[in-house]
Amino acid sequence: MSQNLTANDELVSDVVACQLVIKQILDVIDVIAPVEVREKMASQLRAIDFSSHPASADPVTLRAIQKAIALIELKFTPQEGTH
């Protein structure tokens, strides 16, 4: 199946591909990484000083970092009532 995609369609497909890869990586980390490693992952992102960091000038990057923190915390926060 060969289609000509618009630049926006290509961008969306890139994002979806990245999400799928990230999901697989998170699943592996969930199995092999101790809690301390997972906590460090989120805390390293939280520690970024946006007052001096170049990412603070880019709202898209800033939002991406916020989403990454939320994803790590959601993925690795123990869910009550799940087994």
Side-chain angles (χ1 to χ4, degrees):
M1 175 165 107
S2 178
Q3 291 180 298
N4 291 328
L5 299 177
T6 66
N8 190 54
D9 290 340
E10 283 292 344
L11 181 60
V12 170
S13 72
D14 289 348
V15 170
V16 171
C18 289
Q19 288 173 327
L20 292 170
V21 171
I22 290 167
K23 169 75 170 88
Q24 293 298 311
I25 292 168
L26 288 173
D27 287 346
V28 169
I29 291 170
D30 194 31
V31 170
I32 65 172
V35 173
E36 296 80 19
V37 171
R38 295 177 270 172
E39 289 172 353
K40 185 175 181 181
M41 291 168 61
S43 67
Q44 285 177 331
L45 291 174
R46 269 191 236 94
I48 295 172
D49 179 10
F50 288 104
S51 63
S52 63
H53 197 278
S56 63
D58 179 16
V60 173
T61 302
L62 178 59
R63 183 65 181 137
I65 292 169
Q66 292 169 340
K67 286 182 177 183
I69 292 168
L71 180 60
I72 290 169
E73 289 176 343
L74 174 67
K75 177 67 182 174
F76 298 124
T77 300
Q79 300 292 315
E80 294 177 20
T82 59
H83 299 284

